[in-house]
Amino acid sequence: MSITEKLSATTVASTLALTEPNFSIDESRRVKVVCIGAGFSGIIAGIRFTQKVPNLDLTIYEKEDGIGGTWYVNRYPGLACDIPAHCYQYTFEDNTEWSEVYASGPEILADMQRIVEKYKLMRHIRLRHELTHAAWDEDAGNWRLRIWHAAASGGGGDVEVEDTADVLFLGVGWLSRPKWPDIPGLREFQGRLLHTAQWDVGDSAGAGVPEDWHDKAVGVIGNGSSGVQIVPALQAKVGSLVNFARSKTWISSSFAVQKVFETLQRAPGNTFSEEERAHLRDPENSRRFRRAIEAELHVGLLESLCSYGGQFSIRGSELQRTFAGILIEDAKKQLASHPELIENFIPVWGVSCRRLTPGAGYLKALCSDNTTLETAEIARITPTGVELHDGRQHALDMLICATGFDTAFRYPFHVVGRGGQTLSERWGDRDAAPPAAYLTLAVDGFPNLFICGGPNSAVTSGSLVNIAEHVVAYVVEAVRKMQRERLRSMEVRREALEDWSAHMRTIYTDPCSSWFKDSEGRITALWPEDFEYKLHDASRGRFYWLGDGQTYNQKIGAGSFPMEE
C-alpha cells in the first residue's frame, strides 16, 4: 500500500471514529422515569427529577384519589405527626404558617398539596392509577408496566393500561397498606367496623367523630401510634370506650417537646399563639426555630449517646435503664388516680425496641370514667362485640382496628426482575436472610429499579421526610450518570448488597411488636464501585458516551462557553 493510500485509510478510520456518535458530549439522551406513589417520596422525586434531569419524560402514578400517601389514607380523629412540624418538611421548602407544634394530619396534607401546586406537579401525576405488574425486559432494556386505572366516581369503567420505563422508582413507603388483626369472627361483627387507615364515617364528620357517637359503645384494638392518638380523640365524644391492648408499651412525651417550649419561652401547649405565628412567619425566625429543634432531635440525642458511650440501642445499657426510669416516673404521675394501670406501661423489652409512642392525652384518657383498658387476650369477635379468653364479653356498637400497616415488604403488585424472580419471592423467603437492599434502595437482579422506603431505611426518631430527600438525590445522580454515559442498565452487585447487610447487637431484637420487624421478628425497617453497568450498544465501546468531540454550544455555533448576557 502506498503512502497516499495509507494516509487515506487512516483519515477514513479517524473520520469514522470521530463522527460515529451523532450527539455532543453534553447532550443528554431522553430518559423515561416512572414513579409509583405521590406521597412525600413521590413529591420530592417529582420536584428534583424535573429540576435536575434534562430531556426527561416523567410520570407519577398514584392509586388513591389524591396526593399525600399515608397522610391522604389516614384520616382518623387525633391523627398527628410525632415530631415538630417545622422539622417534618423538606429542607428547601419551609412552611412558616404551621398552626400547631405537632401538626395534625389534615394540616400536613394541606401543606403537601400546596407544594404540589407550587411546583406544578399535577401535570406529571396520574391519580387512581395503581401499579399491578412490572417486569424487566432484557431485550428492550426497560421496565414493562401494567397499571389499573380506576374510574372516577360517576365516570366510566375501570381499564388496564400499559406503559414502559427506563427507570422505575418505587415511592410507595411502608405506612400505606392497612394491616387487619387476625382474630376469628372479625368480619362477622354486625356493628360498624373501621380501620384507622380506612376511616370512612361520612362526609359530615370528615376526619372527626360523628355526633351520633355520643352514646355509643366503642372499642379500639391496639396501642401503637394510631391507637394512642385515637383513644384520647374519641374518649370525650363517645358513650363508653374500651382499648384492647394485650401488649405493654412505653409511652413518651412527644419528641423534642422540652426544647420546643424552651425555645418558645413558654409553658407546654400544642397550639401556636397569634404572636408566635407572627414571629415564625419571618423566614429567618422560622429557620432558627427549626434548627434548634432539629439539633435537639439529632445532635442532642447524639450528645446523650456519646456521654453514655453510644449505648442507647444496646440492651441493658446504662442509658437504656436511665431512659426507662424517666418514662416510668412520668407514667406514674399521669396515672396517679389509677395506679393499677402502671404495670401495663413497663414492658420487658427495651426502650425504642419499637419507635417510641408519644402519647399526649392517652394516659389521661385511660383514667376517665367512661374508658377501660382491657389487657386480656381477645378470643374472638362476635356479631355484637368482643369475647375475651377468660369468657368476659364487651358489647360494642363500633369496633376500630388501630393495628397499623403491613411492613413486611410484600408489595401488593408484582415486580419481576432478571430470570423471572419477583421481589416478593426474594424478600418473602422466610428461611433466607431478612429483606435487604443496597443502601436501602437497590437490589441485585432488578436493574434500573430504585426504592424509597426500602428495607432498613427507617429511623427510631427524627424525620423520614429528610431520608426521602436524600434517597431521591442519590437516585437523581444515578439517572444523570445513565444519561451522560449512555448506559442501558445499572444494577447493584450482589457482593455489594451482601457487604451492606451487617450484624446488629441492639435492643431492636427484643420481643416487642414493632413495624421495624417482619412477621418472623426479623428487623427490616431500620438502617444498619458497587454497581454493574451495561451500555446501550456494547459494540461501540465504553467511551462512546464522549460523543462527537464537540459540546452542544460548539455544534450550534454558540461558542465554547455560555454567552454573557
Side-chain angles (χ1 to χ4, degrees):
M1 181 182 292
S2 67
I3 295 178
T4 302
E5 290 173 329
K6 289 181 180 179
L7 289 174
S8 178
T10 302
T11 302
V12 170
S14 299
T15 301
L16 288 175
L18 181 63
T19 60
E20 183 181 2
N22 59 357
F23 56 87
S24 303
I25 188 173
D26 53 353
E27 281 187 86
S28 298
R29 73 175 179 89
R30 187 74 168 168
V31 63
K32 185 175 183 180
V33 176
V34 169
C35 172
I36 306 300
F40 268 115
S41 300
I43 292 172
I44 182 61
I47 294 172
R48 290 310 193 210
F49 271 110
T50 54
Q51 287 178 337
K52 297 181 178 295
V53 179
N55 206 5
L56 172 72
D57 181 346
L58 173 68
T59 302
I60 302 172
Y61 288 119
E62 168 55 55
K63 67 182 179 67
E64 300 294 338
D65 201 30
I67 65 96
T70 191
W71 296 105
Y72 183 87
V73 171
N74 286 273
R75 305 178 187 182
Y76 61 84
L79 173 64
C81 191
D82 60 5
I83 65 171
H86 285 78
C87 301
Y88 194 75
Q89 54 187 354
Y90 299 128
T91 57
F92 59 92
E93 191 58 48
D94 281 333
N95 179 1
T96 61
E97 295 290 337
W98 295 111
S99 66
E100 296 179 314
V101 178
Y102 297 90
S104 68
E107 188 168 15
I108 293 172
L109 179 59
D111 189 53
M112 297 174 76
Q113 293 167 337
R114 174 189 67 83
I115 293 171
V116 166
E117 176 65 24
K118 175 178 177 179
Y119 291 93
K120 304 185 187 308
L121 296 183
M122 288 308 300
R123 57 183 169 167
H124 301 291
I125 297 174
R126 305 291 180 265
L127 300 176
R128 301 183 304 279
H129 282 70
E130 182 175 6
L131 177 67
T132 59
H133 190 271
W136 174 251
D137 187 328
E138 187 66 37
D139 293 332
N142 61 20
W143 287 93
R144 295 195 176 276
L145 314 175
R146 294 205 298 265
I147 312 289
W148 190 251
H149 180 200
S153 178
D158 299 346
V159 296
E160 185 177 69
V161 297
E162 295 184 352
D163 201 356
T164 61
D166 297 319
V167 174
L168 181 60
F169 178 80
L170 300 183
V172 295
W174 54 82
L175 301 181
S176 61
R177 300 180 293 280
K179 181 179 181 180
W180 290 87
D182 184 15
I183 302 175
L186 181 67
R187 299 298 174 179
E188 298 174 12
F189 181 62
Q190 295 179 358
R192 189 71 177 273
L193 179 64
L194 295 164
H195 193 287
T196 49
Q198 293 179 339
W199 190 258
D200 183 10
V201 293
D203 293 338
S204 60
V209 182
E211 292 183 3
D212 60 0
W213 285 25
H214 70 280
D215 61 349
K216 305 299 183 183
V218 180
V220 175
I221 299 176
N223 63 350
S225 295
S226 54
V228 302
Q229 287 184 343
I230 198 172
V231 164
L234 291 172
Q235 179 268 315
K237 299 181 179 180
V238 300
S240 63
L241 180 63
V242 181
N243 183 199
F244 299 95
R246 183 183 60 169
S247 301
K248 298 181 179 182
T249 189
W250 296 104
I251 298 294
S252 73
S253 299
S254 297
F255 295 124
V257 64
Q258 182 176 353
K259 188 64 177 181
V260 167
F261 300 118
E262 283 180 3
T263 305
L264 294 174
Q265 297 182 338
R266 68 164 169 88
N270 193 42
T271 303
F272 286 116
S273 68
E274 284 303 317
E275 292 78 11
E276 289 167 342
R277 293 184 70 179
H279 176 74
L280 292 173
R281 283 191 186 102
D282 180 280
E284 188 54 39
N285 291 339
S286 180
R287 280 192 291 272
R288 279 199 294 266
F289 179 74
R290 177 177 180 171
R291 290 191 191 109
I293 307 309
E294 286 180 337
E296 180 68 13
L297 278 171
H298 304 294
V299 180
L301 175 62
L302 180 60
E303 290 176 349
S304 297
L305 298 182
C306 292
S307 65
Y308 284 89
Q311 300 294 299
F312 180 71
S313 60
I314 303 301
R315 185 186 302 111
S317 66
E318 182 182 354
L319 184 53
Q320 272 283 309
R321 292 193 298 271
T322 300
F323 198 13
I326 293 172
L327 297 184
I328 292 170
E329 289 304 311
D330 187 55
K332 287 180 178 179
K333 291 178 183 179
Q334 296 190 60
L335 296 172
S337 63
H338 287 69
E340 72 279 5
L341 297 179
I342 292 174
E343 285 303 313
N344 297 295
F345 302 99
I346 308 177
V348 296
W349 40 270
V351 178
S352 277
C353 175
R354 70 183 188 187
R355 186 174 170 107
L356 280 174
T357 305
Y362 176 67
L363 297 181
K364 180 180 178 181
L366 295 181
C367 295
S368 301
D369 292 338
N370 72 333
T371 304
T372 301
L373 176 65
E374 185 57 79
T375 59
E377 186 175 357
I378 296 175
R380 66 188 183 99
I381 307 298
T382 70
T384 58
V386 171
E387 181 180 317
L388 306 174
H389 267 290
D390 59 15
R392 290 181 296 122
Q393 296 196 24
H394 289 275
L396 300 171
D397 298 302
M398 284 86 177
L399 181 60
I400 301 167
C401 298
T403 47
F405 301 90
D406 179 1
T407 60
F409 294 100
R410 289 188 290 269
Y411 294 123
F413 46 80
H414 294 293
V415 180
V416 185
R418 280 205 177 104
Q421 184 184 41
T422 69
L423 264 183
S424 296
E425 292 169 343
R426 176 71 174 270
W427 287 344
D429 186 351
R430 297 182 178 181
D431 296 326
Y438 176 75
L439 298 181
T440 78
L441 54 77
V443 182
D444 62 287
F446 297 84
N448 298 8
L449 174 71
F450 298 97
I451 305 164
C452 191
N456 303 111
S457 61
V459 289
T460 55
S461 64
S463 174
L464 300 179
V465 177
N466 187 259
I467 292 175
E469 199 170 325
H470 282 80
V471 168
V472 168
Y474 185 99
V475 177
V476 165
E477 288 304 311
V479 173
R480 288 291 291 122
K481 178 181 178 67
M482 293 176 67
Q483 275 191 316
R484 182 174 60 250
E485 299 183 19
R486 290 325 205 241
L487 298 177
R488 178 175 179 270
S489 66
M490 179 175 178
E491 177 186 355
V492 68
R493 298 176 185 272
R494 182 63 178 267
E495 56 268 28
L497 189 151
E498 291 175 345
D499 287 346
W500 169 252
S501 299
H503 171 73
M504 290 182 290
R505 182 178 62 89
T506 70
I507 50 83
Y508 306 124
T509 57
D510 275 3
C512 67
S513 174
S514 168
W515 61 269
F516 295 161
K517 304 174 181 179
D518 63 11
S519 60
E520 301 300 304
R522 302 176 302 185
I523 300 168
T524 57
L526 290 176
W527 177 279
E529 184 63 37
D530 297 330
F531 282 87
E532 183 79 34
Y533 305 104
K534 287 191 176 181
L535 296 167
H536 265 284
D537 187 346
S539 67
R540 291 177 172 174
R542 67 181 64 198
F543 295 111
Y544 175 75
W545 65 274
L546 289 173
D548 60 8
Q550 304 177 82
T551 65
Y552 183 72
N553 279 344
Q554 289 173 326
K555 182 180 291 186
I556 64 174
S560 299
F561 301 98
M563 297 179 67
E564 295 183 1
E565 296 183 0

